[in-house]
Each structure stands twice: as C-alpha cells, then as structure tokens.
Amino acid sequence: MGDQELPVVLVSGFEGPLSICEDHVGYLQKHFNLITMQEFLENKAQFSQTIQAVYIWAGQPAINQELLQSLPSLKIIANGGVGLDHLDLKLIDRFGVKVANTPEAVSNPTADMGMALLLASARRLVEGHELACSPNTKVISINWMGKEVTGATLGIVGMGTIGYKIAQRAKAFKMKILYHNRNRRGVVEEKAVGATYCEHLDDLLAQSDFVMLSVSLTPQTQNLIGKRELKLMKPTGTLINIGRGLLVDQEALVEALQSGTIEAAALDVTYPEPLPRDHPLLKLKNVILTLHIGSATHQARHQMMENMVESILASLSGLPIPNEVLLK
C-alpha cells in the first residue's frame, strides 16, 4: 500500500520474471499507489472502486471481461511495448476504457535487434563463437564461410516505424531494399532509404536474400509465412522474425530449414516463448534464437515506463493521451 492520495494503479507484481522492473518501482510510486494483482484478488471489495488504471508489463496482468467488470472506475490500460495482440481492443472499448502503448520507445532497439540477427546469421557468428570456444578446435578451415550483407537484397515485411528504421540501417550497408506493407510509403520516404515497394508479398519473397518480418500480429497476418511462402524464397535465403512468433508456421519453417528450402532463420520471437526444450528448432545449426529481447535495453525499458506514466496521468487529468491506441 502506498500514498492514499495518489491514483491507484493495478500492476502484476513486484517479484518474479513477469513482474514490473525493480528499478522502475521507485519512479512509479512517486506518481501512483501501486496495487498488485495478488492484493487485488485478496481484497476486491477494497480496491475495485478505486483502481483507475492498469499498467501492463510483459503482458501482465491479463485483461479479460471478468477483470474489466470488476473495475468500474477504470479509465486506461497502459501497455508496455507496441504489440497489442494480447489485448481484446473491442472488448476494452465496450467498457469505455482507453488504451495506450509505447511504440517510439521500442522502435530503435528493435530495429537494432533485427540488424543484429541479420548480421549474426549471415556471418554465422554463433557457430563461429562455438568453434572458437570448443576444446576440440585445433585448426579453422579456410573454407568455413558466411555470406556478405553489403549489396544483398533485404525484403522488409511491415514498413511501419520499426520497419522503416530497419531500412535506414540497411541503407548504410548498401543493401537493396524491398518492402511490402498494407499501405505504401510516400515517394520522399522511399527515396530517403532507397526502398522499392512490392505490392505483392510473393514478389518480395522471390527476390530477397534476407526476409525481415516486422509486421503486427493480427488474424490476417497469423501464419503469414507458411509452406507456400517459404518455397517462394531463394534456397540461399534467410528468414528473420522480430514481430511475433505466430506470423510464421513453425512446423513449415522447421521442414524448410531441414530440407534446404531456405538456408537459415534468425528468430527473436517464437510460439510459445520459450519453446519446449525438445522443439526441433533448438537442434538446428542454421537457426539463431533469442528470447523476444528486441526492446530489452535499459534505455528502452525506462522510456517505456515513462511513456506509460505520462499516458496514465494524461488520461486521469482528462488531457489528450500520448500514444493512445484508436480502435480501427
């Protein structure tokens, strides 16, 4: 329990892997009286009428109809990150509750992560590290090679804020940039990064040496990349996913990697996260896996927290909400 004069905000908890960041608690408590889900569940009668905001970190606390019905004073749900596939926006809207996220805070580090995965896969950095550290390594074959990124073709699927920042980084590597997006970017924006629009995803897949997924997960984009799409890619192609695991049919991806349909994959996201310890993706040498860490920098996470605080305070003061998510 904190200062009773401050707005009451529901959070997941202060301990455990899905709790709010320990370093952020002090800052948050300057602005809010934080109530954990455990405290709320143990005393709904006391807190139901007073909670005005929910602070979602690592997808927690989960928002469902039962929770929304038990929070009649709720005005806003602030979500850390840009992805909203874990939220039923139509359900939330029916309760008259606003939603805000933090797209700007995560765009640069996630774009950095995309390029890091691209480079690591192309130059086989993980394999090289393992070879360098192995007690069995005596000589490195001169024929052990990766492939160059400079001059290669990068196909970006999803040219939103993150996708565009990836294009800016790829331009510095003198890559040929193709992109597929629901809406075409303006001519000036295209020229600034040297990007060419592909109206059809199939055309991008067939021409790209590296395919980067940076698109939101929606019912329309789930399994966007399946067996058919993987067969359209070059056999020397690499698939990189920094969006959501469900954008890719993972069974089809495993088959494509095992059969040589594509050469490699680099994935910051999977489904589920983490993968079961016996999942075949964990055993493939031509795969790099990380644990959804695109925004996992101290700077980005602190900015996310500050943006969420700003949105909550604006909502409770009746002011325009920064980064409000509008129902389409």
Side-chain angles (χ1 to χ4, degrees):
M1 290 292 291
D3 188 336
Q4 299 302 304
E5 299 301 317
L6 296 175
V8 181
V9 175
L10 182 65
V11 299
S12 57
F14 300 130
E15 297 179 351
L18 300 181
S19 66
I20 60 177
C21 287
E22 182 180 353
D23 294 345
H24 296 176
V25 173
Y27 184 92
L28 291 169
Q29 288 179 331
K30 291 180 181 178
H31 299 280
F32 308 124
N33 179 9
L34 303 179
I35 303 301
T36 67
M37 272 299 294
Q38 182 176 345
E39 289 175 318
F40 170 70
L41 293 173
E42 289 175 352
N43 201 338
K44 284 188 178 182
Q46 179 181 353
F47 297 122
S48 286
Q49 299 294 328
T50 60
I51 291 173
Q52 296 179 280
V54 178
Y55 181 98
I56 296 183
W57 197 258
Q60 299 297 321
I63 304 298
N64 53 36
Q65 183 164 324
E66 181 182 358
L67 181 62
L68 291 168
Q69 288 174 333
S70 65
L71 299 175
S73 300
L74 184 64
K75 292 183 172 59
I76 183 170
I77 295 169
N79 177 72
V82 64
L84 297 166
D85 46 281
H86 57 292
L87 295 176
D88 186 336
L89 297 179
K90 291 183 178 179
L91 172 67
I92 295 168
D93 184 63
R94 288 205 297 270
F95 282 84
V97 175
K98 304 291 186 181
V99 175
N101 62 353
T102 62
E104 292 302 322
V106 305
S107 58
N108 276 315
T110 305
D112 288 348
M113 188 69 190
M115 290 305 295
L117 288 170
L118 187 155
L119 290 164
S121 181
R123 299 308 302 269
R124 300 170 66 186
L125 289 188
V126 174
E127 290 178 75
H129 172 78
E130 291 173 349
L131 274 173
C133 295
S134 171
N136 300 318
T137 299
K138 306 299 181 184
V139 178
I140 302 290
S141 170
I142 195 169
N143 295 316
W144 190 94
M145 290 177 282
K147 55 187 179 183
E148 289 196 19
V149 169
T150 302
T153 299
L154 170 63
I156 302 172
V157 182
M159 190 66 111
T161 303
I162 294 171
Y164 194 77
K165 288 181 180 293
I166 291 165
Q168 291 173 325
R169 287 153 173 76
K171 181 185 178 185
F173 284 88
K174 295 182 170 54
M175 299 187 81
K176 179 182 178 182
I177 301 167
L178 309 176
Y179 78 98
H180 173 75
N181 201 48
R182 181 175 52 187
N183 299 309
R184 183 172 180 173
R185 286 268 183 172
V187 174
V188 173
E189 292 176 313
E190 289 181 346
K191 286 185 176 180
V193 293
T196 300
Y197 179 63
C198 292
E199 183 177 356
H200 301 291
L201 176 61
D202 289 4
D203 294 334
L204 179 147
L205 295 172
Q207 297 178 62
S208 299
D209 299 302
F210 301 90
V211 174
M212 179 93 67
L213 304 182
S214 179
V215 66
S216 300
L217 177 63
T218 66
Q220 292 71 40
T221 60
Q222 184 167 332
N223 287 334
L224 179 68
I225 304 297
K227 186 173 184 178
R228 187 189 78 85
E229 289 74 24
L230 289 163
K231 284 186 175 179
L232 290 174
M233 290 178 61
K234 296 180 179 181
T236 55
T238 298
L239 179 69
I240 303 150
N241 189 3
I242 58 171
R244 286 291 187 271
L246 284 172
L247 295 173
V248 179
D249 179 339
Q250 285 184 166
E251 289 187 10
L253 178 60
V254 169
E255 182 182 337
L257 290 164
Q258 290 174 334
S259 65
T261 301
I262 66 171
E263 186 170 294
L267 313 171
D268 185 44
V269 289
T270 59
Y271 186 82
E273 295 172 349
L275 290 170
R277 296 299 85 188
D278 61 349
H279 197 282
L281 279 176
L282 302 180
K283 301 175 177 63
L284 296 176
K285 286 289 187 182
N286 53 347
V287 176
I288 293 177
L289 293 166
T290 49
L291 287 168
H292 204 152
I293 55 174
S295 67
T297 68
H298 291 292
Q299 298 92 327
R301 295 288 168 85
H302 191 83
Q303 186 181 344
M304 287 165 62
M305 179 263 296
E306 288 184 332
N307 290 166
M308 293 165 72
V309 169
E310 184 180 5
S311 292
I312 291 172
L313 292 175
S315 173
L316 300 186
S317 299
L319 299 173
I321 302 169
N323 296 316
E324 180 179 357
V325 177
L326 301 176
L327 186 64
K328 297 178 181 180

